[in-house]
Amino acid sequence: MATYKEISDSDIQTTKSFLNQLVDVIQEDISGSVTRKTYQVFVTGGVGPGVTSSLFQTVYDQDFSLQTANPVFDITVGIFSGSSDVASCSTGIDSVGKVLFPSNSLMMREKVSNYRQFAQILLGNANSQFSSPFQDPETTDKIDHAMFICFKRLFARDSIKRETFAMKFYTSASDTQSGHRFTEGEGNPNLSVTSESGSQIFTDVGAASSKLTSYGGPVGNIVNSANTNSKVGLMFYDQGIGVFDLSKIISGSQHVSGVIDAMSNTNPYSVGLGKTIIGAPNVGQSSNPSAKFIPDFMTSGSIDNIVNHLASTRFSSGSNTAMTFQNLTGINSTLIFCRATADQFNYSSNPTYVNTSDNRIRVIQVGHEASQKAFSFITTVGLYDANDNLLAVAKLSRPIEKNDEKDITIRVRLDF
């Protein structure tokens, strides 16, 4: 028969520890077409085939069609509802309160809704505006055009560790001249060309010395590593969400040219009539030769157009690290000290421990049954509830001899 001993409250201790894991996201995972999944949930009506787009895209650590692929983060963009771009684009409000926009803009309501959703989750109010530095009242620090990166729970775990996040990002677009007006047939479209200039490292250095807290939990400012006084975004650690000011991390005033869904060969602002060039027209095509990344591309491009540009060109392409951080996994532990005093657990519950012929304990040295002391080897600890139901079993790495000359304490650790 097994031997039981009641565990008192003094034998139970609780503790909490943290496990860190380094996460690296390489450039090719972000820029690659097979590692970035789209969700075509938006479609325009009217004439022609319409424009389809995602509301966000998901970056995987390998080809997302493979069963072993893991989603790393979601990426999307948003525009603040109170920004000057929304005000200048809007043509009014209909009878049900829906903001109306002309055909020279695309998915403006969706971009505004994205921004409002993140503001509700992270700031506690859908009408609030992000700012970098956090909660800075200065108008110049308000984020009107935002890029949101949401790390998946598999990689962010319980939290992202402060001062471990870094992102390599290319602020300048490729093959463009700022302020230059392209003429017909001139220039190379830069919308889908990988950028190899103007790289910067954006990091949350200094976040540990100035700990900030928001509705969404701990938050830190993301800065330009070359100039830590330049605040470019926010990292919400518990949520695993980064908010970046596109006006600060890209050269928004640069000329933009390339194919977007909102253009047609008859009207550069006709949504749903095909695709053509924004910024640098070809023969027989219309466009806006003065188009800039902000606000023209941000208002005229679909969310897929914008995310495709950011992911495929601004992170470059290759096997180098594009993002890195350390996550935190909180481990709650219960330590149970199972104590065996000198006069306890010296006998085995194995029925072969007793010789049934004479009902005496079996001994190693035959003939010394009367003088040899009983001992046992502890191999297993069982934890039971008050009704003697087995709840957990702990196996020792090796048997431990127990006799009446030894006090033994076995520590059982339950992590959850």
Side-chain angles (χ1 to χ4, degrees):
M1 183 177 180
T3 305
Y4 296 91
K5 181 178 181 179
E6 184 175 351
I7 298 174
S8 64
D9 292 339
S10 61
D11 295 323
I12 301 175
Q13 299 292 331
T14 59
T15 184
K16 187 172 184 177
S17 58
F18 294 94
L19 176 66
N20 293 336
Q21 180 185 28
L22 178 64
V23 177
D24 274 327
V25 185
I26 65 173
Q27 295 169 324
E28 191 61 36
D29 286 344
I30 304 175
S31 62
S33 58
V34 298
T35 55
R36 191 158 30 87
K37 189 175 182 180
T38 60
Y39 308 89
Q40 303 294 322
V41 297
F42 171 87
V43 61
T44 59
V47 183
V51 176
T52 59
S53 176
S54 310
L55 298 179
F56 66 93
Q57 295 184 11
T58 302
V59 172
Y60 285 75
D61 59 0
Q62 56 181 309
D63 187 339
F64 61 77
S65 64
L66 302 176
Q67 291 185 345
T68 55
N70 297 305
V72 183
F73 64 83
D74 295 329
I75 179 172
T76 189
V77 294
I79 300 178
F80 177 56
S81 59
S83 67
S84 59
D85 291 341
V86 173
S88 60
C89 286
S90 174
T91 59
I93 301 176
D94 66 8
S95 58
V96 296
K98 183 171 64 176
V99 182
L100 303 176
F101 294 95
S103 59
N104 63 346
S105 61
L106 181 61
M107 297 184 72
M108 286 296 290
R109 279 190 292 270
E110 286 70 22
K111 295 168 188 174
V112 169
S113 294
N114 277 351
Y115 196 107
R116 287 173 54 83
Q117 180 181 6
F118 282 100
Q120 177 64 55
I121 294 172
L122 302 175
L123 303 179
N125 187 342
N127 297 316
S128 296
Q129 185 176 13
F130 294 100
S131 64
S132 182
F134 181 64
Q135 290 184 337
D136 194 335
E138 293 294 329
T139 303
T140 55
D141 293 327
K142 299 296 184 181
I143 301 178
D144 287 337
H145 310 87
M147 177 179 71
F148 300 99
I149 293 180
C150 312
F151 291 100
K152 297 293 187 178
R153 167 78 176 176
L154 177 64
F155 292 93
R157 300 302 175 99
D158 292 336
S159 178
I160 291 177
K161 187 178 179 181
R162 288 180 182 270
E163 292 198 6
T164 64
F165 176 82
M167 180 179 78
K168 185 177 183 180
F169 196 82
Y170 290 81
T171 60
S172 299
S174 295
D175 301 325
T176 185
Q177 301 175 45
S178 180
H180 178 69
R181 291 174 63 91
F182 285 77
T183 59
E184 187 172 80
E186 179 191 7
N188 296 320
N190 60 4
L191 201 58
S192 301
V193 180
T194 300
S195 178
E196 295 296 344
S197 62
S199 66
Q200 298 288 343
I201 303 296
F202 301 125
T203 176
D204 67 334
V205 62
S209 58
S210 178
K211 294 184 177 181
L212 305 171
T213 303
S214 72
Y215 176 85
V219 60
N221 291 310
I222 297 177
V223 302
N224 188 332
S225 63
N227 178 14
T228 57
N229 291 323
S230 174
K231 309 295 193 298
V232 300
L234 305 168
M235 176 58 68
F236 293 83
Y237 297 101
D238 286 355
Q239 304 290 338
I241 298 176
V243 182
F244 298 86
D245 189 344
L246 285 172
S247 300
K248 294 181 179 179
I249 67 172
I250 71 170
S251 300
S253 61
Q254 277 189 300
H255 182 87
V256 56
S257 60
V259 176
I260 65 171
D261 298 300
M263 296 296 185
S264 76
N265 59 0
T266 57
N267 183 350
Y269 303 117
S270 294
V271 178
L273 297 180
K275 300 178 181 179
T276 188
I277 302 297
I278 178 175
N282 290 337
V283 177
Q285 293 181 323
S286 290
S287 72
N288 175 11
S290 301
K292 303 294 189 295
F293 281 102
I294 297 175
D296 302 284
F297 181 49
M298 282 297 295
T299 55
S300 296
S302 68
I303 290 179
D304 267 349
N305 290 152
I306 300 169
V307 172
N308 284 339
H309 168 73
L310 294 173
S312 64
T313 71
R314 299 294 180 149
F315 290 95
S316 190
S317 177
S319 58
N320 294 327
T321 298
M323 292 186 199
T324 184
F325 62 89
Q326 291 183 32
N327 60 31
L328 289 175
T329 302
I331 301 176
N332 295 291
S333 302
T334 299
L335 304 179
I336 302 174
F337 296 89
C338 303
R339 311 181 195 277
T341 60
D343 59 343
Q344 293 177 324
F345 301 100
N346 297 325
Y347 294 85
S348 172
S349 59
N350 193 321
T352 61
Y353 192 71
V354 177
N355 191 334
T356 56
S357 61
D358 57 5
N359 202 29
R360 304 182 73 174
I361 298 174
R362 295 182 185 273
V363 295
I364 296 177
Q365 296 178 330
V366 179
H368 294 268
E369 290 82 359
S371 59
Q372 191 169 356
K373 295 182 179 180
F375 64 95
S376 65
F377 285 91
I378 300 175
T379 61
T380 306
V381 176
L383 300 178
Y384 294 78
D385 63 10
N387 298 318
D388 292 341
N389 296 311
L390 182 61
L391 303 178
V393 175
K395 292 286 187 179
L396 277 66
S397 59
R398 60 181 179 83
I400 299 177
E401 182 182 354
K402 178 68 180 69
N403 55 48
D404 60 1
E405 296 180 356
K406 289 183 178 180
D407 281 341
I408 294 178
T409 300
I410 299 174
R411 188 186 70 173
V412 179
R413 177 171 179 156
L414 300 177
D415 294 334
F416 56 94

